[in-house]
């Protein structure tokens, strides 16, 4: 009897605070990435607490995380706003992504193995699955996850930290990229050369593919954010 009561009580334990905060982060991030909350919009804890039906404590934590990811920023005497990518931001993200990913592959080149290849294919399959549901937010998240692998496996801690600091803003970049092209995800063969050359024997070919891969669509995105 006592064992049954204890089991039922365990099942009714409240959601951990960390989990609740993560849910708020996910919901707020989706609203930003989908354009529901547009870039440049001023936001307050009171407004968001009312909108999402949450208390201001965990919301404050969620906003701090999104600020770390570069999706919102605070301006002294002005307030907190959702980041609005400029043409200069697009160009900087392109150049930084190219440099970071080239270095990541340079670091991992002699350490690539079957496990790395399998996980790369698995994450690409996950990205392709998002195309079936027509959700550009899920697609942008999966694409960031695909590109994250080389940073996670290359063994360069500072490089991984640098990537993690720009990954949130990159997801916004990718979501905007899909909108600029009128799609809900990348074209199906967008990563075909990337996947093939990531496991080839010629680093120079991979370096050129990284530069080309990052460059595709940038001009159109510059025009889109410059409107």
């Amino acid at each position: 009897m006592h064992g049954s009561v204890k089991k039922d009580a365990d099942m009714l334990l409240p959601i951990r605070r960390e989990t609740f905060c993560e849910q708020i982060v996910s919901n707020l991030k989706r609203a930003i990435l989908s354009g529901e909350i547009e870039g440049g919009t001023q936001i307050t804890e009171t407004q968001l607490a009312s909108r999402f039906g949450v208390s201001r404590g965990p919301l404050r934590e969620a906003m701090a995380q999104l600020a770390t990811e570069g999706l919102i920023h605070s301006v002294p005497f002005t307030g907190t706003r959702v980041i609005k990518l400029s043409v200069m931001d697009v160009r900087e993200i392109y150049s930084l992504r190219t440099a970071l990913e080239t270095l990541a592959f340079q670091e991992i080149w002699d350490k690539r193995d079957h496990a790395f290849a399998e996980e790369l294919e698995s994450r690409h399959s996950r990205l392709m699955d998002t195309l079936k549901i027509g959700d550009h937010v899920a697609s942008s998240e999966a694409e960031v996850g695909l590109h994250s692998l080389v940073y996670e496996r290359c063994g360069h801690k500072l490089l991984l930290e640098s990537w993690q600091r720009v990954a949130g803003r990159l997801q916004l970049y990718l979501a905007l990229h899909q909108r600029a092209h009128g799609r809900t995800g990348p074209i199906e063969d967008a990563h075909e050369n990337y996947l093939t050359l990531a496991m080839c024997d010629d680093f120079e070919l991979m370096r050129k593919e990284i530069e080309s891969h990052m460059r595709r669509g940038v001009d159109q995105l510059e025009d889109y954010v410059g409107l």
Side-chain angles (χ1 to χ4, degrees):
M1 177 68 176
H2 291 298
S4 176
V5 171
K6 184 177 186 303
K7 182 178 180 181
D8 290 342
D10 288 342
M11 293 174 65
L12 296 174
L13 287 174
I15 297 175
R16 291 183 300 109
R17 182 179 179 82
E18 293 80 7
T19 300
F20 186 43
C21 179
E22 288 170 1
Q23 291 173 352
I24 299 172
V25 168
S26 178
N27 290 337
L28 184 52
K29 182 184 288 188
R30 170 168 284 276
I32 293 172
L33 295 174
S34 67
E36 182 184 343
I37 301 179
E38 296 183 356
T41 300
Q42 185 169 353
I43 56 177
T44 67
E45 292 178 7
T46 302
Q47 292 170 339
L48 294 177
S50 176
R51 177 173 185 160
F52 292 105
V54 298
S55 62
R56 294 176 65 177
L59 177 61
R60 189 175 297 118
E61 293 179 35
M63 291 176 69
Q65 181 172 329
L66 292 185
T68 300
E69 293 182 20
L71 290 177
I72 63 177
H73 66 112
S74 297
V75 180
F77 311 111
T78 301
T80 301
R81 292 185 180 275
V82 173
I83 193 73
K84 183 176 183 179
L85 292 183
S86 66
V87 171
M88 183 59 69
D89 290 327
V90 171
R91 291 172 181 168
E92 289 185 354
I93 290 171
Y94 157 71
S95 61
L96 184 58
R97 282 190 72 195
T98 302
L100 290 179
E101 203 135 328
T102 299
L103 177 57
F105 269 101
Q106 183 177 319
E107 290 291 320
I108 202 176
W109 200 249
D110 294 329
K111 296 180 284 188
R112 294 167 302 155
D113 55 17
H114 184 65
F116 175 77
E118 279 195 333
E119 181 62 18
L120 197 63
E121 289 288 351
S122 175
R123 295 193 186 194
H124 181 254
S125 295
R126 201 174 308 155
L127 173 58
M128 292 298 97
D129 286 342
T130 65
L131 300 183
K132 302 172 186 176
I133 60 176
D135 184 340
H136 71 272
V137 176
S139 172
S140 62
E141 182 178 2
E143 189 164 354
V144 169
L146 171 64
H147 286 278
S148 292
L149 180 62
V150 66
Y151 300 95
E152 296 167 10
R153 299 289 179 87
C154 72
H156 195 307
K157 292 182 180 179
L158 286 178
L159 181 56
L160 176 59
E161 289 175 11
S162 298
W163 164 253
Q164 291 171 335
R165 283 197 292 270
V166 301
R169 192 168 297 192
L170 172 60
Q171 192 176 344
L172 177 59
Y173 167 99
L174 291 171
L176 282 172
H177 181 90
Q178 305 311 334
R179 284 190 235 165
H181 288 77
R183 300 194 304 261
T184 56
I187 56 177
E188 291 196 23
D189 62 352
H191 291 84
E192 185 175 330
N193 286 339
Y194 181 92
L195 293 174
T196 299
L197 296 177
M199 295 306 297
C200 79
D201 296 325
D202 192 331
F203 175 75
E204 183 59 19
L205 285 179
M206 186 60 196
R207 186 196 65 75
K208 290 179 179 178
E209 171 57 24
I210 291 171
E211 184 172 354
S212 175
H213 184 80
M214 303 305 172
R215 185 71 218 178
R216 292 172 200 146
V218 168
D219 292 337
Q220 187 171 350
L221 184 55
E222 287 180 1
D223 291 340
Y224 183 80
V225 301
L227 293 177

